[in-house]
Amino acid sequence: GVSPTIARTLPLRRLFPFSNAESIMKKIDIKSFTLEELTHELKEQGLAGFRARQIYQWIHEKLADSFDDMTNLSKELRKTLSETYELITLQIVDVRISEVDQTRKYLFQLPDGHVIESVLMKYQYGYSICISSQVGCRMGCRFCASTLEGLERNLRPSEMLDQIYAISLLTG
């Protein structure tokens, strides 16, 4: 499981399983939009263009994982956003730290229940994060657990981004 030290640094939404993965998948994945796509989407919803930049900053710069965190938006707008859009937030299932080189392996649960891995590696010049881009793999390598069930699906941009965002929140 997740260590108590790590658990204290994360919002509860990142530590507990999804309550209803099916309803999550029916909403529009707002984190996967580029700024240009988000601007177009919100204008189609009748919102001013500047709102896209505000929301984009909350998601990708301030790393908000709930519309309620977006305090410069009205409560009414936050409610509307939460009814229409989903902010994909991966759940941390486990963190393993190598005793040899402090490499960290993160196990994340996706909204649909699948589990993926990410790895944070420290080098002399800094850090590198290896993220998953798919659930499963079709390569068939005998030494790799990801290939056991074959390729399930490609990850959405939001699921790839949130691996980086979650690890950034954990490591500062």
Side-chain angles (χ1 to χ4, degrees):
V2 179
S3 79
T5 303
I6 291 173
R8 280 194 299 275
T9 64
L10 293 172
L12 291 177
R13 291 179 292 278
R14 290 201 182 271
L15 296 173
F16 295 103
F18 299 96
S19 58
N20 190 349
E22 232 177 80
S23 70
I24 289 172
M25 294 306 210
K26 291 179 182 173
K27 292 182 180 180
I28 299 168
D29 176 12
I30 197 169
K31 193 180 281 186
S32 287
F33 286 136
T34 64
L35 178 57
E36 183 179 298
E37 292 167 337
L38 183 59
T39 301
H40 177 76
E41 170 73 17
L42 295 180
K43 282 184 179 179
E44 295 247 324
Q45 302 292 330
L47 295 171
F50 76 92
R51 291 289 185 203
R53 183 74 186 138
Q54 284 180 306
I55 294 166
Y56 192 87
Q57 285 177 324
W58 275 108
I59 294 170
H60 298 289
E61 294 174 20
K62 297 177 184 177
L63 305 183
D65 61 3
S66 168
F67 294 110
D68 291 333
D69 296 339
M70 302 179 184
T71 54
N72 63 344
L73 304 178
S74 70
K75 286 183 181 180
E76 182 181 324
L77 177 54
R78 287 182 270 168
K79 182 178 185 287
T80 300
L81 290 171
S82 68
E83 290 170 352
T84 308
Y85 302 99
E86 178 60 29
L87 262 177
I88 298 297
T89 304
L90 305 185
Q91 306 301 308
I92 298 171
V93 175
D94 195 15
V95 180
R96 305 265 169 123
I97 303 172
S98 166
E99 292 180 15
V100 176
D101 61 4
Q102 297 301 301
T103 295
R104 294 172 183 244
K105 182 188 278 189
Y106 298 87
L107 199 61
F108 293 106
Q109 183 181 13
L110 303 172
D112 63 8
H114 286 103
V115 177
I116 58 170
E117 292 180 345
S118 304
V119 180
L120 176 68
M121 298 158 285
K122 185 176 182 181
Y123 295 101
Q124 290 177 341
Y125 57 83
Y127 291 92
S128 180
I129 298 177
C130 179
I131 65 168
S132 293
S133 61
Q134 298 175 318
V135 174
C137 176
R138 70 177 83 188
M139 292 302 292
C141 303
R142 287 187 284 235
F143 60 84
C144 183
S146 294
T147 192
L148 294 176
E149 301 294 321
L151 178 64
E152 292 284 330
R153 67 177 178 85
N154 292 324
L155 296 184
R156 294 183 283 171
S158 60
E159 294 167 326
M160 290 184 273
L161 286 168
D162 208 55
Q163 293 172 69
I164 297 166
Y165 295 168
I167 292 170
S168 295
L169 287 170
L170 286 169
T171 59

